[in-house]
Amino acid sequence: MTVVSQYDGTIEQVELGRGGPLVGVQGLGCMGMSEFYGDTDEAAARATLDAALAAGVTLFDTADTYGLGRNEEFLAPFVAAHRQEITLATKFAIERDNEDPHHRGVRNDPGYVRQAAEASLRRLGVDVIDLYYMHRRDPAVPLAESVGAMAELVREGKVRHLGLSEVTGAELREAHAVHPIAALQSEWSLFSRDVERSAVGAAAELGVAFVPYSPLGRGFLTGAFADASRDLAAEDFRRHQPRFTGENARTNAALLAPVREVAAAHGASPAQIALAWVQQRARLHGLTVVPIPGTRKAARLRENAAATRITLTEAELALLEPIASRVAGDRYPDMTFTSASREA
């Protein structure tokens, strides 16, 4: 079977959670347009936003922590030009310090929820956020208090739908009992499947859409680099991720062999196979999935969108099945604020 390398139509739409908005079955993660992956070309990034909309991508994902608010500001003109055509998602909870670029804190207290939402509304230049996520969970703050504060924003018309990121199945159920949750955003890919322990099942049970971030393993699954410390720019944060350097990188690079084999059979790229796997894996669990691969290039955007046309065979799924269990290294240097750290 041959798959075109770039999408030449518009992708299908799905409902983002029960009663949620209709969005393209693939979204766009915008983080790298402002920070973390080295230098960016603003003109190329803006062309990528336009290419996304032309391909039927309508869920655009940002966060207040990306570029210390600069990513939201970057998106504002695009949002203003296409407000009725897009679903705008942003996130709060990761607190950073202008004076200390390495500082990361997590805040979920109700006062901070409101403060962060008001700041995001100003930066984005909108009256309402379509999908507002709690980016990370602070276990010291009762979940009912955090979600209760988010629900107040819905009642006030400042937010339309609520989302959570990196929570366990039990935490998702607890939050959903306070206010309906439209989407759960967590890392899910051929390299990262810890969410299948409880979060995926809970989302399916509750009718919550799953929004996988880093469905391409932060680019490693594309084969674009083999060792971050050698192949990526000095300011690229992946140089500090355990999976992408040293012996871990060598081990993980070898795991791409079956991905390349399946890609060759489909006339596709490894990235397209990784994205198709996420879509198909979710269908096996009976839930809606809208992965948000990030890119700053229009051509890559169209390539990613073309993955929605691919259907993997049972034999191909079986070939890819063992990969995650063989991955060397954690997703982050500090896993404290991931759902995996709180699984029973």
Side-chain angles (χ1 to χ4, degrees), residues 17-90:
R18 289 176 185 160
L22 283 176
V23 299
V25 73
Q26 187 179 110
L28 178 62
C30 299
M31 179 183 79
M33 294 179 174
S34 296
E35 193 181 17
F36 297 112
Y37 292 117
D39 292 338
T40 186
D41 180 329
E42 183 172 324
R46 293 202 179 281
T48 302
L49 296 176
D50 292 335
L53 197 57
V57 172
T58 58
L59 177 62
F60 292 83
D61 184 272
T62 182
D64 59 4
T65 192
Y66 300 160
L68 292 165
R70 292 191 303 276
N71 194 244
E72 290 180 324
E73 292 170 348
F74 165 79
L75 286 175
F78 176 77
V79 171
H82 303 285
R83 189 66 188 99
Q84 301 309 310
E85 303 168 74
I86 69 172
T87 295
L88 178 62
T90 192

Side-chain angles (χ1 to χ4, degrees), residues 15-175:
E15 188 177 49
L16 197 68
R18 289 176 185 160
L22 283 176
V23 299
V25 73
Q26 187 179 110
L28 178 62
C30 299
M31 179 183 79
M33 294 179 174
S34 296
E35 193 181 17
F36 297 112
Y37 292 117
D39 292 338
T40 186
D41 180 329
E42 183 172 324
R46 293 202 179 281
T48 302
L49 296 176
D50 292 335
L53 197 57
V57 172
T58 58
L59 177 62
F60 292 83
D61 184 272
T62 182
D64 59 4
T65 192
Y66 300 160
L68 292 165
R70 292 191 303 276
N71 194 244
E72 290 180 324
E73 292 170 348
F74 165 79
L75 286 175
F78 176 77
V79 171
H82 303 285
R83 189 66 188 99
Q84 301 309 310
E85 303 168 74
I86 69 172
T87 295
L88 178 62
T90 192
K91 303 181 281 291
F92 77 92
I94 298 179
E95 188 179 43
R96 295 174 63 184
D97 186 343
N98 279 310
E99 303 300 320
D100 179 3
H102 302 292
H103 171 76
R104 298 289 188 278
V106 175
R107 288 189 62 180
N108 294 168
D109 55 281
Y112 185 76
V113 174
R114 178 169 294 279
Q115 173 189 331
E118 297 286 0
S120 286
L121 286 165
R122 287 194 300 271
R123 285 189 292 265
L124 289 162
V126 297
D127 297 322
V128 59
I129 296 165
D130 298 318
L131 177 59
Y132 198 44
Y133 288 103
M134 185 171 75
H135 206 165
R136 292 292 186 271
R137 168 91 203 277
D138 178 3
V141 179
L143 197 52
E145 291 184 13
S146 304
V147 178
M150 296 169 71
E152 282 293 326
L153 297 171
V154 176
R155 286 189 283 272
E156 293 170 11
K158 295 178 180 178
V159 169
R160 290 195 172 100
H161 303 281
L162 301 186
L164 301 173
S165 180
E166 290 285 357
V167 297
T168 66
E171 290 167 339
L172 178 59
R173 289 187 180 91
E174 181 182 350

